[in-house]
Amino acid sequence: MARRRTKRRTHVGATNPATPTAINGHINAKTDPKSMVIRIGAGEVGTSVSQLATDVRRVMEPGTASRLKERKANRLRDYVSMCGPLGVSHLLLFSRSSSGNTNLRLAMTPRGPTFHFKVEKYSLSKDVRRAQRHPKGGGKEYITPPLLVMNNFSNPDADANSKVPRHLESLTTTAFQSLFPPINPQKTPLRSIRRVLLLNREQSEEDDGTFVINFRHYAITTKTVGISKPLRRLDAAEKLLKSRKGKKGGIPNLGNLRDISEFMIGGENGDGYMTDGTSGSEVDTDAEVEILETAPKRVPTSKARATAQEDDDEDDGKDDHVERRAVKLMELGPRMKLRMTKVEEGLCSGKILWHQHVRKTREEIREMEQKWEQRRKEKEARKKQQKENVEKKKQAKAGNKKSNDTQDGDEMDVDDYSDMYSDDGFDSEGLEGDAEELANAKMEENGEWEDEEEEIADSKKPKKRALKG
């Protein structure tokens, strides 16, 4: 029998901030939008579309149902009915048509609208990582929502009569903006912005009525600028030694060197202390930003403060608390090319607000409005009739219950039985309509009833005499 394992680990309390606002800088995490990424017809979409839906769930984290399990028997109404109790504000529905096209629907609950997209091209996250030399691993990037960047969604030349009208552009912009919680630039910490979701609309040269969106997902990485690469490696090695992760391959090999200075200047034939400016590579300052240092520091002594004051006077006001960092984007995936096909007014139903291939005149639009108004009135009438029927059934059920309660009582109400004792309607002996009564009446008319009475009287006399004797 194996020995029972004895736990020797100490459970240290979490060091996370007390409030979600301190993590991501949002105003209220409870009111943040929530979404569900669903496969309609889970057994029919295929493995590639299923993996694409899983990758999109990773993009939508943390405000999405990451462990949602669809069943083949589930329908859209099953998910819609749970949106209210769970506080879900958006539905992203992946499906595959009979012709093999992959479709995506973005629906806003509970009343719409719904945007229909055709997924023309897509690449999974594993394909994007396979194409990279040093892919970015999944770490703490998914703790906070991504930063949404939208480009070319509004065309300055568009108006109400364009093939892609201006109100459609603003509606689409609002729908995508509401996918993620808003950020407060004054209160949002920079460390909480770890990912970027880029949505770029392809502008066509002519107004051909197309609305194509490119979907990209990146991770934000930063590194300190102004120090040499060997020093950065030493800094990374120090952080690696203090962490609990594996230390293999993270510490530089100094076995063949006599001193640390040889590593810093590049060995025996080193060219001296190298920085980004003296390394010979081209300097790119467009991706550099200046941020304030937020790391805690010790309180300096009076002598140290006096020395720092003198250094500040010599440096002409140079701020030591400002740190320069280079920003780099690493693609995480997935990639998608989405073409909008139509927009519906309701939640996956209702009248068509815009269609890519169908154009209607004002008369056709007016007829459609009248038709939808008639449908709405008929629907309201059906609801009213159903409500009245339900009320009638409730009243009938309550009346039956009341009558049953009165019949079960010990005392009977005399008024309820007054009709039964009336001379016209009550037969005391139960002879009404009987054949015997009719025969007696006929005999009385023919005079036969008197003979019968005499026979009955004669038959009774001997019995009386016998009793007297």
Side-chain angles (χ1 to χ4, degrees):
M1 184 175 179
R3 289 181 58 187
R4 187 175 181 179
R5 184 174 66 91
T6 303
K7 294 183 179 181
R8 301 182 182 275
R9 295 175 297 184
T10 58
H11 299 275
V12 182
T15 58
N16 295 330
T19 58
T21 306
I23 300 177
N24 48 29
H26 299 160
I27 299 174
N28 190 357
K30 294 183 179 180
T31 59
D32 288 348
K34 298 179 178 59
S35 61
M36 285 197 301
V37 183
I38 305 168
R39 298 171 298 161
I40 301 298
E44 302 174 356
V45 296
T47 56
S48 298
V49 179
S50 299
Q51 186 61 39
L52 178 62
T54 304
D55 295 341
V56 174
R57 287 176 186 171
R58 294 280 287 173
V59 176
M60 303 301 295
E61 285 186 358
T64 187
S66 303
R67 300 180 182 180
L68 180 64
K69 300 294 183 181
E70 307 96 332
R71 293 182 179 179
K72 191 175 181 180
N74 290 135
R75 296 294 181 264
L76 178 60
R77 60 177 177 270
D78 301 331
Y79 301 106
V80 173
S81 62
M82 294 304 298
C83 288
L86 298 178
V88 177
S89 58
H90 293 78
L91 294 176
L92 284 83
L93 311 172
F94 282 94
S95 60
R96 174 173 286 181
S97 62
S98 57
S99 59
N101 296 327
T102 304
N103 301 317
L104 170 63
R105 286 177 287 176
L106 173 61
M108 301 175 65
T109 60
R111 296 181 179 85
T114 304
F115 300 86
H116 293 250
F117 296 95
K118 178 184 177 182
V119 184
E120 294 186 343
K121 299 178 182 179
Y122 67 90
S123 298
L124 303 177
S125 297
K126 61 180 181 180
D127 300 329
V128 174
R129 289 195 300 268
R130 192 179 293 115
Q132 295 174 350
R133 185 176 180 182
H134 301 289
K136 180 73 173 177
K140 297 182 179 180
E141 290 83 8
Y142 300 98
I143 296 177
T144 56
L147 178 66
L148 180 63
V149 178
M150 305 173 68
N151 186 36
N152 289 335
F153 267 67
S154 60
N155 188 3
D157 299 332
D159 54 7
N161 298 324
S162 302
K163 293 184 178 180
V164 181
R166 182 182 295 273
H167 67 269
L168 176 64
E169 296 177 346
S170 61
L171 182 63
T172 309
T173 304
T174 304
F176 279 104
Q177 285 178 348
S178 61
L179 279 173
F180 303 100
I183 61 174
N184 190 347
Q186 286 76 22
K187 296 183 180 180
T188 303
L190 292 178
R191 66 181 61 184
S192 66
I193 304 176
R194 302 174 182 269
R195 294 180 293 141
V196 173
L197 177 61
L198 176 61
L199 300 177
N200 180 37
R201 178 190 173 190
E202 293 183 359
Q203 292 285 0
S204 58
E205 297 181 359
E206 299 179 358
D207 189 11
D208 54 355
T210 59
F211 199 101
V212 182
I213 300 174
N214 290 319
F215 183 99
R216 297 289 187 274
H217 184 218
Y218 299 94
I220 302 176
T221 58
T222 60
K223 64 178 181 179
T224 308
V225 179
I227 60 176
S228 63
K229 185 176 180 180
L231 189 58
R232 281 200 300 267
R233 290 188 62 189
L234 290 178
D235 187 24
E238 183 180 2
K239 293 180 180 178
L240 190 64
L241 287 173
K242 294 180 181 179
S243 65
R244 297 181 180 179
K245 299 180 181 179
K247 303 175 179 60
K248 183 178 180 181
I251 303 175
N253 186 11
L254 306 179
N256 299 327
L257 304 178
R258 292 177 298 178
D259 195 352
I260 187 66
S261 60
E262 294 184 2
F263 174 75
M264 298 299 296
I265 63 177
E268 296 180 356
N269 299 325
D271 298 329
Y273 183 76
M274 294 182 296
T275 63
D276 292 340
T278 60
S279 59
S281 61
E282 185 179 355
V283 181
D284 185 11
T285 59
D286 294 338
E288 294 181 2
V289 294
E290 294 182 356
I291 60 174
L292 292 176
E293 219 176 299
T294 59
K297 295 183 178 181
R298 293 182 179 179
V299 178
T301 60
S302 58
K303 185 177 180 180
R305 285 197 297 269
T307 306
Q309 185 67 26
E310 294 177 359
D311 295 340
D312 291 342
D313 296 339
E314 294 177 0
D315 294 340
D316 296 333
K318 183 180 179 180
D319 193 356
D320 294 336
H321 298 285
V322 175
E323 184 180 7
R324 296 183 63 84
R325 285 184 169 271
V327 181
K328 186 178 181 181
L329 299 180
M330 296 288 294
E331 188 170 4
L332 297 174
R335 298 179 182 178
M336 287 191 294
K337 185 177 181 179
L338 307 174
R339 180 182 293 274
M340 187 185 297
T341 56
K342 67 177 180 178
V343 181
E344 291 179 329
E345 185 181 23
L347 181 59
C348 298
S349 62
K351 61 182 179 181
I352 307 299
L353 300 179
W354 178 84
H355 201 285
Q356 180 184 1
H357 305 291
V358 179
R359 300 287 186 273
K360 293 187 177 182
T361 61
R362 293 183 178 180
E363 295 180 356
E364 293 176 346
I365 294 175
R366 193 179 301 108
E367 293 178 359
M368 185 182 67
E369 292 287 345
Q370 294 177 357
K371 186 182 297 184
W372 278 103
E373 184 66 20
Q374 182 66 24
R375 290 183 182 180
R376 186 184 63 82
K377 291 181 179 179
E378 293 176 356
K379 186 176 181 180
E380 290 179 356
R382 288 195 302 268
K383 285 185 177 181
K384 186 178 180 180
Q385 184 65 30
Q386 290 174 359
K387 189 175 180 180
E388 292 177 355
N389 294 338
V390 171
E391 292 295 333
K392 289 181 180 179
K393 289 182 179 179
K394 287 183 179 179
Q395 293 176 3
K397 188 175 181 181
N400 295 334
K401 185 177 180 181
K402 186 177 180 181
S403 62
N404 293 333
D405 293 341
T406 55
Q407 291 178 5
D408 294 340
D410 295 334
E411 296 181 0
M412 298 177 63
D413 193 357
V414 181
D415 297 336
D416 296 340
Y417 297 93
S418 60
D419 296 337
M420 297 177 63
Y421 290 99
S422 61
D423 296 336
D424 299 333
F426 183 72
D427 184 15
S428 61
E429 296 182 359
L431 299 177
E432 184 177 0
D434 193 76
E436 185 178 357
E437 184 179 0
L438 296 175
N440 294 336
K442 189 174 181 180
M443 290 173 66
E444 187 175 359
E445 292 177 359
N446 299 332
E448 298 177 359
W449 181 249
E450 297 179 355
D451 298 337
E452 287 290 333
E453 290 180 350
E454 293 179 357
E455 291 179 2
I456 293 172
D458 294 340
S459 61
K460 291 181 179 180
K461 286 180 181 180
K463 293 181 181 179
K464 290 182 181 181
R465 293 173 183 173
L467 290 173
K468 289 181 181 180

